[in-house]
PDB file of all heavy atoms in Angstrom:
ATOM      1  N   LEU A   1       0.853  -1.182   0.000  1.00  0.00           N
ATOM      2  CA  LEU A   1       0.000   0.000   0.000  1.00  0.00           C
ATOM      3  C   LEU A   1       0.888   1.230   0.000  1.00  0.00           C
ATOM      4  O   LEU A   1       2.033   1.173   0.461  1.00  0.00           O
ATOM      5  CB  LEU A   1      -0.910   0.046   1.228  1.00  0.00           C
ATOM      6  CG  LEU A   1      -2.125  -0.880   1.280  1.00  0.00           C
ATOM      7  CD1 LEU A   1      -2.783  -0.777   2.650  1.00  0.00           C
ATOM      8  CD2 LEU A   1      -3.117  -0.539   0.189  1.00  0.00           C
ATOM      9  N   ARG A   2       0.355   2.340  -0.508  1.00  0.00           N
ATOM     10  CA  ARG A   2       1.067   3.603  -0.440  1.00  0.00           C
ATOM     11  C   ARG A   2       0.170   4.669   0.166  1.00  0.00           C
ATOM     12  O   ARG A   2      -0.955   4.877  -0.282  1.00  0.00           O
ATOM     13  CB  ARG A   2       1.549   4.074  -1.811  1.00  0.00           C
ATOM     14  CG  ARG A   2       2.477   5.294  -1.707  1.00  0.00           C
ATOM     15  CD  ARG A   2       3.060   5.717  -3.034  1.00  0.00           C
ATOM     16  NE  ARG A   2       2.118   6.492  -3.825  1.00  0.00           N
ATOM     17  CZ  ARG A   2       2.467   7.289  -4.833  1.00  0.00           C
ATOM     18  NH1 ARG A   2       3.751   7.403  -5.177  1.00  0.00           N
ATOM     19  NH2 ARG A   2       1.542   7.945  -5.512  1.00  0.00           N
ATOM     20  N   LEU A   3       0.683   5.345   1.185  1.00  0.00           N
ATOM     21  CA  LEU A   3      -0.004   6.451   1.816  1.00  0.00           C
ATOM     22  C   LEU A   3       0.568   7.770   1.313  1.00  0.00           C
ATOM     23  O   LEU A   3       1.767   7.874   1.056  1.00  0.00           O
ATOM     24  CB  LEU A   3       0.143   6.388   3.341  1.00  0.00           C
ATOM     25  CG  LEU A   3      -0.301   5.098   4.027  1.00  0.00           C
ATOM     26  CD1 LEU A   3      -0.093   5.211   5.534  1.00  0.00           C
ATOM     27  CD2 LEU A   3      -1.752   4.785   3.709  1.00  0.00           C
ATOM     28  N   SER A   4      -0.290   8.774   1.187  1.00  0.00           N
ATOM     29  CA  SER A   4       0.127  10.104   0.772  1.00  0.00           C
ATOM     30  C   SER A   4      -0.331  11.118   1.803  1.00  0.00           C
ATOM     31  O   SER A   4      -1.371  10.949   2.440  1.00  0.00           O
ATOM     32  CB  SER A   4      -0.461  10.472  -0.592  1.00  0.00           C
ATOM     33  OG  SER A   4      -0.038   9.578  -1.590  1.00  0.00           O
ATOM     34  N   CYS A   5       0.431  12.192   1.949  1.00  0.00           N
ATOM     35  CA  CYS A   5       0.103  13.250   2.892  1.00  0.00           C
ATOM     36  C   CYS A   5       0.473  14.581   2.261  1.00  0.00           C
ATOM     37  O   CYS A   5       1.659  14.871   2.068  1.00  0.00           O
ATOM     38  CB  CYS A   5       0.847  13.041   4.211  1.00  0.00           C
ATOM     39  SG  CYS A   5       0.599  14.350   5.426  1.00  0.00           S
ATOM     40  N   ALA A   6      -0.533  15.391   1.952  1.00  0.00           N
ATOM     41  CA  ALA A   6      -0.320  16.687   1.326  1.00  0.00           C
ATOM     42  C   ALA A   6      -0.379  17.796   2.366  1.00  0.00           C
ATOM     43  O   ALA A   6      -1.338  17.871   3.140  1.00  0.00           O
ATOM     44  CB  ALA A   6      -1.363  16.928   0.240  1.00  0.00           C
ATOM     45  N   ALA A   7       0.625  18.656   2.379  1.00  0.00           N
ATOM     46  CA  ALA A   7       0.708  19.746   3.333  1.00  0.00           C
ATOM     47  C   ALA A   7       0.318  21.065   2.679  1.00  0.00           C
ATOM     48  O   ALA A   7       0.593  21.301   1.498  1.00  0.00           O
ATOM     49  CB  ALA A   7       2.113  19.852   3.909  1.00  0.00           C
ATOM     50  N   SER A   8      -0.312  21.928   3.455  1.00  0.00           N
ATOM     51  CA  SER A   8      -0.649  23.265   2.992  1.00  0.00           C
ATOM     52  C   SER A   8      -0.494  24.235   4.153  1.00  0.00           C
ATOM     53  O   SER A   8      -0.407  23.831   5.310  1.00  0.00           O
ATOM     54  CB  SER A   8      -2.074  23.325   2.431  1.00  0.00           C
ATOM     55  OG  SER A   8      -3.031  22.988   3.424  1.00  0.00           O
ATOM     56  N   GLY A   9      -0.463  25.525   3.843  1.00  0.00           N
ATOM     57  CA  GLY A   9      -0.260  26.537   4.856  1.00  0.00           C
ATOM     58  C   GLY A   9       1.160  27.068   4.814  1.00  0.00           C
ATOM     59  O   GLY A   9       1.672  27.377   3.747  1.00  0.00           O
ATOM     60  N   ASP A  10       1.783  27.142   5.977  1.00  0.00           N
ATOM     61  CA  ASP A  10       3.143  27.678   6.086  1.00  0.00           C
ATOM     62  C   ASP A  10       4.157  26.597   5.753  1.00  0.00           C
ATOM     63  O   ASP A  10       4.902  26.114   6.613  1.00  0.00           O
ATOM     64  CB  ASP A  10       3.385  28.239   7.482  1.00  0.00           C
ATOM     65  CG  ASP A  10       2.491  29.425   7.806  1.00  0.00           C
ATOM     66  OD1 ASP A  10       2.117  30.154   6.865  1.00  0.00           O
ATOM     67  OD2 ASP A  10       2.180  29.628   8.993  1.00  0.00           O
ATOM     68  N   ILE A  11       4.197  26.236   4.489  1.00  0.00           N
ATOM     69  CA  ILE A  11       5.060  25.147   4.034  1.00  0.00           C
ATOM     70  C   ILE A  11       6.537  25.454   4.271  1.00  0.00           C
ATOM     71  O   ILE A  11       7.322  24.556   4.587  1.00  0.00           O
ATOM     72  CB  ILE A  11       4.810  24.852   2.546  1.00  0.00           C
ATOM     73  CG1 ILE A  11       3.328  24.554   2.311  1.00  0.00           C
ATOM     74  CG2 ILE A  11       5.674  23.687   2.086  1.00  0.00           C
ATOM     75  CD1 ILE A  11       2.822  23.374   3.121  1.00  0.00           C
ATOM     76  N   PHE A  12       6.904  26.718   4.138  1.00  0.00           N
ATOM     77  CA  PHE A  12       8.310  27.102   4.278  1.00  0.00           C
ATOM     78  C   PHE A  12       8.870  26.782   5.649  1.00  0.00           C
ATOM     79  O   PHE A  12      10.084  26.632   5.804  1.00  0.00           O
ATOM     80  CB  PHE A  12       8.472  28.602   3.996  1.00  0.00           C
ATOM     81  CG  PHE A  12       7.871  29.478   5.056  1.00  0.00           C
ATOM     82  CD1 PHE A  12       8.652  29.936   6.111  1.00  0.00           C
ATOM     83  CD2 PHE A  12       6.540  29.849   5.007  1.00  0.00           C
ATOM     84  CE1 PHE A  12       8.122  30.746   7.101  1.00  0.00           C
ATOM     85  CE2 PHE A  12       5.988  30.655   5.988  1.00  0.00           C
ATOM     86  CZ  PHE A  12       6.777  31.099   7.032  1.00  0.00           C
ATOM     87  N   SER A  13       8.005  26.685   6.642  1.00  0.00           N
ATOM     88  CA  SER A  13       8.448  26.478   8.015  1.00  0.00           C
ATOM     89  C   SER A  13       8.594  25.002   8.384  1.00  0.00           C
ATOM     90  O   SER A  13       9.071  24.689   9.472  1.00  0.00           O
ATOM     91  CB  SER A  13       7.482  27.148   8.992  1.00  0.00           C
ATOM     92  OG  SER A  13       6.212  26.521   8.974  1.00  0.00           O
ATOM     93  N   ILE A  14       8.182  24.086   7.516  1.00  0.00           N
ATOM     94  CA  ILE A  14       8.235  22.663   7.821  1.00  0.00           C
ATOM     95  C   ILE A  14       9.661  22.149   7.716  1.00  0.00           C
ATOM     96  O   ILE A  14      10.353  22.394   6.738  1.00  0.00           O
ATOM     97  CB  ILE A  14       7.318  21.855   6.889  1.00  0.00           C
ATOM     98  CG1 ILE A  14       5.857  22.245   7.101  1.00  0.00           C
ATOM     99  CG2 ILE A  14       7.501  20.358   7.123  1.00  0.00           C
ATOM    100  CD1 ILE A  14       4.888  21.565   6.156  1.00  0.00           C
ATOM    101  N   ASN A  15      10.080  21.425   8.723  1.00  0.00           N
ATOM    102  CA  ASN A  15      11.385  20.779   8.699  1.00  0.00           C
ATOM    103  C   ASN A  15      11.206  19.281   8.444  1.00  0.00           C
ATOM    104  O   ASN A  15      11.205  18.836   7.308  1.00  0.00           O
ATOM    105  CB  ASN A  15      12.129  21.030  10.003  1.00  0.00           C
ATOM    106  CG  ASN A  15      13.534  20.466   9.975  1.00  0.00           C
ATOM    107  OD1 ASN A  15      14.111  20.251   8.905  1.00  0.00           O
ATOM    108  ND2 ASN A  15      14.100  20.206  11.143  1.00  0.00           N
ATOM    109  N   THR A  16      11.010  18.524   9.505  1.00  0.00           N
ATOM    110  CA  THR A  16      10.849  17.085   9.383  1.00  0.00           C
ATOM    111  C   THR A  16       9.383  16.712   9.164  1.00  0.00           C
ATOM    112  O   THR A  16       8.486  17.267   9.797  1.00  0.00           O
ATOM    113  CB  THR A  16      11.375  16.385  10.638  1.00  0.00           C
ATOM    114  OG1 THR A  16      12.766  16.672  10.785  1.00  0.00           O
ATOM    115  CG2 THR A  16      11.180  14.880  10.553  1.00  0.00           C
ATOM    116  N   MET A  17       9.143  15.765   8.275  1.00  0.00           N
ATOM    117  CA  MET A  17       7.835  15.156   8.123  1.00  0.00           C
ATOM    118  C   MET A  17       7.976  13.663   8.382  1.00  0.00           C
ATOM    119  O   MET A  17       9.059  13.097   8.222  1.00  0.00           O
ATOM    120  CB  MET A  17       7.253  15.395   6.737  1.00  0.00           C
ATOM    121  CG  MET A  17       7.024  16.862   6.417  1.00  0.00           C
ATOM    122  SD  MET A  17       6.138  17.127   4.855  1.00  0.00           S
ATOM    123  CE  MET A  17       4.489  16.555   5.313  1.00  0.00           C
ATOM    124  N   GLY A  18       6.881  13.046   8.793  1.00  0.00           N
ATOM    125  CA  GLY A  18       6.991  11.636   9.118  1.00  0.00           C
ATOM    126  C   GLY A  18       5.661  10.931   9.198  1.00  0.00           C
ATOM    127  O   GLY A  18       4.602  11.508   8.928  1.00  0.00           O
ATOM    128  N   TRP A  19       5.755   9.666   9.547  1.00  0.00           N
ATOM    129  CA  TRP A  19       4.587   8.818   9.710  1.00  0.00           C
ATOM    130  C   TRP A  19       4.669   8.104  11.052  1.00  0.00           C
ATOM    131  O   TRP A  19       5.728   7.581  11.425  1.00  0.00           O
ATOM    132  CB  TRP A  19       4.489   7.776   8.592  1.00  0.00           C
ATOM    133  CG  TRP A  19       4.234   8.364   7.242  1.00  0.00           C
ATOM    134  CD1 TRP A  19       5.154   8.744   6.313  1.00  0.00           C
ATOM    135  CD2 TRP A  19       2.951   8.635   6.669  1.00  0.00           C
ATOM    136  NE1 TRP A  19       4.537   9.234   5.196  1.00  0.00           N
ATOM    137  CE2 TRP A  19       3.184   9.184   5.388  1.00  0.00           C
ATOM    138  CE3 TRP A  19       1.644   8.475   7.109  1.00  0.00           C
ATOM    139  CZ2 TRP A  19       2.143   9.570   4.539  1.00  0.00           C
ATOM    140  CZ3 TRP A  19       0.605   8.857   6.274  1.00  0.00           C
ATOM    141  CH2 TRP A  19       0.863   9.395   5.006  1.00  0.00           C
ATOM    142  N   TYR A  20       3.562   8.098  11.767  1.00  0.00           N
ATOM    143  CA  TYR A  20       3.406   7.365  13.009  1.00  0.00           C
ATOM    144  C   TYR A  20       2.209   6.440  12.865  1.00  0.00           C
ATOM    145  O   TYR A  20       1.348   6.648  12.009  1.00  0.00           O
ATOM    146  CB  TYR A  20       3.197   8.314  14.183  1.00  0.00           C
ATOM    147  CG  TYR A  20       4.394   9.177  14.510  1.00  0.00           C
ATOM    148  CD1 TYR A  20       4.746  10.257  13.704  1.00  0.00           C
ATOM    149  CD2 TYR A  20       5.176   8.912  15.635  1.00  0.00           C
ATOM    150  CE1 TYR A  20       5.839  11.045  13.998  1.00  0.00           C
ATOM    151  CE2 TYR A  20       6.273   9.699  15.945  1.00  0.00           C
ATOM    152  CZ  TYR A  20       6.598  10.769  15.120  1.00  0.00           C
ATOM    153  OH  TYR A  20       7.680  11.552  15.425  1.00  0.00           O
ATOM    154  N   ARG A  21       2.140   5.421  13.707  1.00  0.00           N
ATOM    155  CA  ARG A  21       0.988   4.532  13.667  1.00  0.00           C
ATOM    156  C   ARG A  21       0.573   4.150  15.077  1.00  0.00           C
ATOM    157  O   ARG A  21       1.373   4.164  16.011  1.00  0.00           O
ATOM    158  CB  ARG A  21       1.281   3.276  12.841  1.00  0.00           C
ATOM    159  CG  ARG A  21       2.315   2.339  13.440  1.00  0.00           C
ATOM    160  CD  ARG A  21       2.625   1.210  12.461  1.00  0.00           C
ATOM    161  NE  ARG A  21       3.586   0.261  13.003  1.00  0.00           N
ATOM    162  CZ  ARG A  21       4.113  -0.742  12.325  1.00  0.00           C
ATOM    163  NH1 ARG A  21       3.764  -0.930  11.048  1.00  0.00           N
ATOM    164  NH2 ARG A  21       4.978  -1.565  12.896  1.00  0.00           N
ATOM    165  N   GLN A  22      -0.695   3.800  15.206  1.00  0.00           N
ATOM    166  CA  GLN A  22      -1.250   3.401  16.482  1.00  0.00           C
ATOM    167  C   GLN A  22      -2.203   2.237  16.268  1.00  0.00           C
ATOM    168  O   GLN A  22      -3.236   2.378  15.607  1.00  0.00           O
ATOM    169  CB  GLN A  22      -1.969   4.569  17.152  1.00  0.00           C
ATOM    170  CG  GLN A  22      -2.452   4.272  18.556  1.00  0.00           C
ATOM    171  CD  GLN A  22      -2.933   5.511  19.282  1.00  0.00           C
ATOM    172  OE1 GLN A  22      -3.140   6.558  18.670  1.00  0.00           O
ATOM    173  NE2 GLN A  22      -3.090   5.406  20.582  1.00  0.00           N
ATOM    174  N   ALA A  23      -1.841   1.093  16.808  1.00  0.00           N
ATOM    175  CA  ALA A  23      -2.691  -0.084  16.751  1.00  0.00           C
ATOM    176  C   ALA A  23      -3.648  -0.074  17.937  1.00  0.00           C
ATOM    177  O   ALA A  23      -3.371   0.560  18.959  1.00  0.00           O
ATOM    178  CB  ALA A  23      -1.841  -1.357  16.761  1.00  0.00           C
ATOM    179  N   PRO A  24      -4.781  -0.768  17.830  1.00  0.00           N
ATOM    180  CA  PRO A  24      -5.737  -0.803  18.941  1.00  0.00           C
ATOM    181  C   PRO A  24      -5.087  -1.271  20.239  1.00  0.00           C
ATOM    182  O   PRO A  24      -4.420  -2.302  20.275  1.00  0.00           O
ATOM    183  CB  PRO A  24      -6.791  -1.802  18.455  1.00  0.00           C
ATOM    184  CG  PRO A  24      -6.725  -1.723  16.973  1.00  0.00           C
ATOM    185  CD  PRO A  24      -5.267  -1.509  16.656  1.00  0.00           C
ATOM    186  N   GLY A  25      -5.256  -0.482  21.285  1.00  0.00           N
ATOM    187  CA  GLY A  25      -4.699  -0.817  22.579  1.00  0.00           C
ATOM    188  C   GLY A  25      -3.238  -0.472  22.750  1.00  0.00           C
ATOM    189  O   GLY A  25      -2.691  -0.666  23.838  1.00  0.00           O
ATOM    190  N   ASN A  26      -2.589   0.028  21.704  1.00  0.00           N
ATOM    191  CA  ASN A  26      -1.175   0.367  21.763  1.00  0.00           C
ATOM    192  C   ASN A  26      -0.965   1.878  21.738  1.00  0.00           C
ATOM    193  O   ASN A  26      -1.851   2.641  21.359  1.00  0.00           O
ATOM    194  CB  ASN A  26      -0.421  -0.262  20.593  1.00  0.00           C
ATOM    195  CG  ASN A  26      -0.325  -1.766  20.687  1.00  0.00           C
ATOM    196  OD1 ASN A  26      -0.897  -2.382  21.587  1.00  0.00           O
ATOM    197  ND2 ASN A  26       0.397  -2.367  19.747  1.00  0.00           N
ATOM    198  N   GLN A  27       0.223   2.301  22.128  1.00  0.00           N
ATOM    199  CA  GLN A  27       0.574   3.706  22.038  1.00  0.00           C
ATOM    200  C   GLN A  27       1.037   4.036  20.627  1.00  0.00           C
ATOM    201  O   GLN A  27       1.411   3.152  19.856  1.00  0.00           O
ATOM    202  CB  GLN A  27       1.663   4.058  23.049  1.00  0.00           C
ATOM    203  CG  GLN A  27       3.009   3.411  22.775  1.00  0.00           C
ATOM    204  CD  GLN A  27       4.065   3.820  23.776  1.00  0.00           C
ATOM    205  OE1 GLN A  27       3.760   4.303  24.862  1.00  0.00           O
ATOM    206  NE2 GLN A  27       5.330   3.637  23.420  1.00  0.00           N
ATOM    207  N   ARG A  28       1.008   5.311  20.289  1.00  0.00           N
ATOM    208  CA  ARG A  28       1.489   5.758  19.002  1.00  0.00           C
ATOM    209  C   ARG A  28       2.997   5.518  18.894  1.00  0.00           C
ATOM    210  O   ARG A  28       3.746   5.805  19.834  1.00  0.00           O
ATOM    211  CB  ARG A  28       1.173   7.236  18.814  1.00  0.00           C
ATOM    212  CG  ARG A  28       1.564   7.804  17.454  1.00  0.00           C
ATOM    213  CD  ARG A  28       1.325   9.298  17.435  1.00  0.00           C
ATOM    214  NE  ARG A  28       2.161   9.973  18.420  1.00  0.00           N
ATOM    215  CZ  ARG A  28       2.007  11.234  18.809  1.00  0.00           C
ATOM    216  NH1 ARG A  28       1.023  11.967  18.299  1.00  0.00           N
ATOM    217  NH2 ARG A  28       2.820  11.770  19.708  1.00  0.00           N
ATOM    218  N   GLU A  29       3.447   5.013  17.759  1.00  0.00           N
ATOM    219  CA  GLU A  29       4.859   4.750  17.562  1.00  0.00           C
ATOM    220  C   GLU A  29       5.327   5.333  16.233  1.00  0.00           C
ATOM    221  O   GLU A  29       4.577   5.405  15.262  1.00  0.00           O
ATOM    222  CB  GLU A  29       5.159   3.253  17.600  1.00  0.00           C
ATOM    223  CG  GLU A  29       4.502   2.453  16.481  1.00  0.00           C
ATOM    224  CD  GLU A  29       4.893   0.990  16.486  1.00  0.00           C
ATOM    225  OE1 GLU A  29       5.780   0.613  17.275  1.00  0.00           O
ATOM    226  OE2 GLU A  29       4.313   0.218  15.700  1.00  0.00           O
ATOM    227  N   LEU A  30       6.579   5.729  16.211  1.00  0.00           N
ATOM    228  CA  LEU A  30       7.171   6.264  14.991  1.00  0.00           C
ATOM    229  C   LEU A  30       7.379   5.153  13.982  1.00  0.00           C
ATOM    230  O   LEU A  30       7.840   4.062  14.323  1.00  0.00           O
ATOM    231  CB  LEU A  30       8.500   6.948  15.310  1.00  0.00           C
ATOM    232  CG  LEU A  30       9.230   7.611  14.137  1.00  0.00           C
ATOM    233  CD1 LEU A  30       9.934   8.870  14.601  1.00  0.00           C
ATOM    234  CD2 LEU A  30      10.246   6.650  13.523  1.00  0.00           C
ATOM    235  N   VAL A  31       7.059   5.441  12.730  1.00  0.00           N
ATOM    236  CA  VAL A  31       7.287   4.513  11.629  1.00  0.00           C
ATOM    237  C   VAL A  31       8.482   4.963  10.799  1.00  0.00           C
ATOM    238  O   VAL A  31       9.421   4.198  10.567  1.00  0.00           O
ATOM    239  CB  VAL A  31       6.045   4.374  10.738  1.00  0.00           C
ATOM    240  CG1 VAL A  31       6.328   3.464   9.548  1.00  0.00           C
ATOM    241  CG2 VAL A  31       4.867   3.849  11.546  1.00  0.00           C
ATOM    242  N   ALA A  32       8.448   6.209  10.327  1.00  0.00           N
ATOM    243  CA  ALA A  32       9.515   6.740   9.491  1.00  0.00           C
ATOM    244  C   ALA A  32       9.457   8.256   9.504  1.00  0.00           C
ATOM    245  O   ALA A  32       8.385   8.842   9.641  1.00  0.00           O
ATOM    246  CB  ALA A  32       9.402   6.222   8.052  1.00  0.00           C
ATOM    247  N   VAL A  33      10.613   8.892   9.361  1.00  0.00           N
ATOM    248  CA  VAL A  33      10.691  10.346   9.268  1.00  0.00           C
ATOM    249  C   VAL A  33      11.648  10.720   8.154  1.00  0.00           C
ATOM    250  O   VAL A  33      12.548   9.955   7.799  1.00  0.00           O
ATOM    251  CB  VAL A  33      11.137  11.004  10.589  1.00  0.00           C
ATOM    252  CG1 VAL A  33      10.095  10.805  11.672  1.00  0.00           C
ATOM    253  CG2 VAL A  33      12.489  10.456  11.030  1.00  0.00           C
ATOM    254  N   ILE A  34      11.454  11.915   7.596  1.00  0.00           N
ATOM    255  CA  ILE A  34      12.338  12.436   6.563  1.00  0.00           C
ATOM    256  C   ILE A  34      12.542  13.919   6.818  1.00  0.00           C
ATOM    257  O   ILE A  34      11.588  14.665   7.055  1.00  0.00           O
ATOM    258  CB  ILE A  34      11.780  12.160   5.150  1.00  0.00           C
ATOM    259  CG1 ILE A  34      12.771  12.627   4.078  1.00  0.00           C
ATOM    260  CG2 ILE A  34      10.406  12.794   4.962  1.00  0.00           C
ATOM    261  CD1 ILE A  34      12.419  12.119   2.686  1.00  0.00           C
ATOM    262  N   SER A  35      13.783  14.358   6.783  1.00  0.00           N
ATOM    263  CA  SER A  35      14.114  15.747   7.047  1.00  0.00           C
ATOM    264  C   SER A  35      13.970  16.584   5.784  1.00  0.00           C
ATOM    265  O   SER A  35      13.781  16.071   4.682  1.00  0.00           O
ATOM    266  CB  SER A  35      15.539  15.862   7.590  1.00  0.00           C
ATOM    267  OG  SER A  35      16.481  15.608   6.559  1.00  0.00           O
ATOM    268  N   ARG A  36      14.082  17.907   5.941  1.00  0.00           N
ATOM    269  CA  ARG A  36      14.031  18.815   4.803  1.00  0.00           C
ATOM    270  C   ARG A  36      15.125  18.480   3.797  1.00  0.00           C
ATOM    271  O   ARG A  36      14.918  18.599   2.589  1.00  0.00           O
ATOM    272  CB  ARG A  36      14.174  20.260   5.285  1.00  0.00           C
ATOM    273  CG  ARG A  36      14.095  21.290   4.170  1.00  0.00           C
ATOM    274  CD  ARG A  36      14.398  22.683   4.692  1.00  0.00           C
ATOM    275  NE  ARG A  36      13.399  23.125   5.659  1.00  0.00           N
ATOM    276  CZ  ARG A  36      12.282  23.764   5.335  1.00  0.00           C
ATOM    277  NH1 ARG A  36      12.008  24.051   4.069  1.00  0.00           N
ATOM    278  NH2 ARG A  36      11.429  24.133   6.289  1.00  0.00           N
ATOM    279  N   GLY A  37      16.276  18.044   4.293  1.00  0.00           N
ATOM    280  CA  GLY A  37      17.385  17.702   3.424  1.00  0.00           C
ATOM    281  C   GLY A  37      17.334  16.305   2.848  1.00  0.00           C
ATOM    282  O   GLY A  37      18.203  15.938   2.051  1.00  0.00           O
ATOM    283  N   GLY A  38      16.347  15.506   3.241  1.00  0.00           N
ATOM    284  CA  GLY A  38      16.179  14.183   2.679  1.00  0.00           C
ATOM    285  C   GLY A  38      16.687  13.036   3.523  1.00  0.00           C
ATOM    286  O   GLY A  38      16.557  11.873   3.117  1.00  0.00           O
ATOM    287  N   ALA A  39      17.274  13.325   4.679  1.00  0.00           N
ATOM    288  CA  ALA A  39      17.722  12.255   5.559  1.00  0.00           C
ATOM    289  C   ALA A  39      16.521  11.512   6.123  1.00  0.00           C
ATOM    290  O   ALA A  39      15.520  12.120   6.500  1.00  0.00           O
ATOM    291  CB  ALA A  39      18.575  12.814   6.684  1.00  0.00           C
ATOM    292  N   THR A  40      16.618  10.190   6.197  1.00  0.00           N
ATOM    293  CA  THR A  40      15.499   9.365   6.647  1.00  0.00           C
ATOM    294  C   THR A  40      15.877   8.527   7.848  1.00  0.00           C
ATOM    295  O   THR A  40      17.047   8.227   8.086  1.00  0.00           O
ATOM    296  CB  THR A  40      15.010   8.442   5.527  1.00  0.00           C
ATOM    297  OG1 THR A  40      16.091   7.599   5.099  1.00  0.00           O
ATOM    298  CG2 THR A  40      14.503   9.247   4.342  1.00  0.00           C
ATOM    299  N   ASN A  41      14.862   8.136   8.594  1.00  0.00           N
ATOM    300  CA  ASN A  41      15.031   7.251   9.726  1.00  0.00           C
ATOM    301  C   ASN A  41      13.797   6.370   9.827  1.00  0.00           C
ATOM    302  O   ASN A  41      12.676   6.855   9.653  1.00  0.00           O
ATOM    303  CB  ASN A  41      15.230   8.039  11.019  1.00  0.00           C
ATOM    304  CG  ASN A  41      15.588   7.149  12.185  1.00  0.00           C
ATOM    305  OD1 ASN A  41      16.484   6.316  12.085  1.00  0.00           O
ATOM    306  ND2 ASN A  41      14.898   7.318  13.303  1.00  0.00           N
ATOM    307  N   TYR A  42      14.007   5.080  10.107  1.00  0.00           N
ATOM    308  CA  TYR A  42      12.916   4.120  10.148  1.00  0.00           C
ATOM    309  C   TYR A  42      12.918   3.354  11.460  1.00  0.00           C
ATOM    310  O   TYR A  42      13.969   3.096  12.050  1.00  0.00           O
ATOM    311  CB  TYR A  42      13.034   3.105   9.009  1.00  0.00           C
ATOM    312  CG  TYR A  42      12.921   3.682   7.627  1.00  0.00           C
ATOM    313  CD1 TYR A  42      14.046   4.126   6.942  1.00  0.00           C
ATOM    314  CD2 TYR A  42      11.683   3.774   6.995  1.00  0.00           C
ATOM    315  CE1 TYR A  42      13.941   4.654   5.671  1.00  0.00           C
ATOM    316  CE2 TYR A  42      11.572   4.298   5.723  1.00  0.00           C
ATOM    317  CZ  TYR A  42      12.707   4.737   5.063  1.00  0.00           C
ATOM    318  OH  TYR A  42      12.591   5.260   3.794  1.00  0.00           O
ATOM    319  N   ALA A  43      11.727   2.962  11.880  1.00  0.00           N
ATOM    320  CA  ALA A  43      11.624   2.024  12.982  1.00  0.00           C
ATOM    321  C   ALA A  43      12.217   0.691  12.554  1.00  0.00           C
ATOM    322  O   ALA A  43      12.110   0.293  11.389  1.00  0.00           O
ATOM    323  CB  ALA A  43      10.170   1.841  13.396  1.00  0.00           C
ATOM    324  N   ASP A  44      12.846  -0.013  13.491  1.00  0.00           N
ATOM    325  CA  ASP A  44      13.473  -1.289  13.160  1.00  0.00           C
ATOM    326  C   ASP A  44      12.472  -2.281  12.570  1.00  0.00           C
ATOM    327  O   ASP A  44      12.827  -3.091  11.708  1.00  0.00           O
ATOM    328  CB  ASP A  44      14.126  -1.897  14.400  1.00  0.00           C
ATOM    329  CG  ASP A  44      15.372  -1.151  14.832  1.00  0.00           C
ATOM    330  OD1 ASP A  44      15.952  -0.423  14.003  1.00  0.00           O
ATOM    331  OD2 ASP A  44      15.779  -1.302  15.994  1.00  0.00           O
ATOM    332  N   SER A  45      11.233  -2.212  13.001  1.00  0.00           N
ATOM    333  CA  SER A  45      10.231  -3.169  12.564  1.00  0.00           C
ATOM    334  C   SER A  45       9.837  -3.019  11.101  1.00  0.00           C
ATOM    335  O   SER A  45       9.249  -3.940  10.524  1.00  0.00           O
ATOM    336  CB  SER A  45       8.977  -3.053  13.439  1.00  0.00           C
ATOM    337  OG  SER A  45       8.417  -1.755  13.357  1.00  0.00           O
ATOM    338  N   VAL A  46      10.148  -1.879  10.483  1.00  0.00           N
ATOM    339  CA  VAL A  46       9.741  -1.647   9.096  1.00  0.00           C
ATOM    340  C   VAL A  46      10.921  -1.472   8.157  1.00  0.00           C
ATOM    341  O   VAL A  46      10.718  -1.338   6.940  1.00  0.00           O
ATOM    342  CB  VAL A  46       8.802  -0.431   8.971  1.00  0.00           C
ATOM    343  CG1 VAL A  46       7.611  -0.574   9.904  1.00  0.00           C
ATOM    344  CG2 VAL A  46       9.554   0.868   9.241  1.00  0.00           C
TER     345      VAL A  46
END
């Protein structure tokens, strides 16, 4: 599957964007992040 996320507003001020997920009964966890410069970081599980 592919998820998309479109940003609007003060776009110039955005630094890092990312994805988090929350399963039923679980806390929110980081999935992946990407910086303005393109550096990425992923959860070990993905």
Side-chain angles (χ1 to χ4, degrees):
L1 285 174
R2 189 175 80 160
L3 305 180
S4 299
C5 176
S8 61
D10 296 330
I11 304 301
F12 70 93
S13 67
I14 296 176
N15 184 22
T16 299
M17 298 187 71
W19 294 92
Y20 293 74
R21 67 186 182 186
Q22 186 170 13
N26 291 5
Q27 67 178 19
R28 183 185 63 193
E29 64 176 353
L30 182 145
V31 177
V33 294
I34 184 168
S35 72
R36 182 186 296 271
T40 59
N41 187 49
Y42 296 90
D44 289 340
S45 60
V46 306

